[in-house]
Amino acid sequence: MRTIPETVFLWGGLVLIALILLASLVLQYFAYFRAGEIMKNLSNSPAVVARSKSLGWDPAGRFLFISCVGTLFIFSKKSLKSGELNTKDYKCFPVGLRRKIEVISVLMLALCVIAIIGVIIGNYNGWLK
């Protein structure tokens, strides 16, 4: 018989996994169906050019590509300063698409941090064996 905290932890973990999978699917959508637009608008950015050369049809490669673009947008000041993201490309990139990629990437980052904290708490309390 499970205690109430264990049951809440279990259901919370299942919801967290579902949200991570949903966010991953949305990122995969952008990686497969909006990749041409992304590469066209970020054609002068070294980080995107380097990642797009190895871009194939496999889901892992596409996920790494869109994760790279999301990271560039989330940390845009640092990316612009270091030269990984071209200033002209960043300013000309469609704002709606950029916001969607940023929001999903930040959500994915937050969900992963929550998952790591959940695993640490679960191990500490002995709920994960």
Side-chain angles (χ1 to χ4, degrees), residues 40-62:
K40 183 183 89 176
N41 288 310
L42 295 176
S43 61
N44 297 324
S45 300
V48 176
V49 171
R51 179 63 64 191
S52 66
K53 288 181 182 177
S54 63
L55 189 63
W57 281 99
D58 59 313
R62 292 283 173 154

Side-chain angles (χ1 to χ4, degrees), residues 74 101-111:
I74 291 171
I101 293 172
E102 283 178 357
V103 167
I104 295 298
S105 297
V106 167
L107 176 67
M108 188 66 146
L109 181 65
L111 290 172

Side-chain angles (χ1 to χ4, degrees), residues 19-36:
L19 289 173
I20 288 173
L21 288 174
L22 182 65
S24 296
L25 287 175
V26 172
L27 285 174
Q28 287 288 13
Y29 166 78
F30 287 127
Y32 276 103
F33 299 109
R34 306 295 292 269

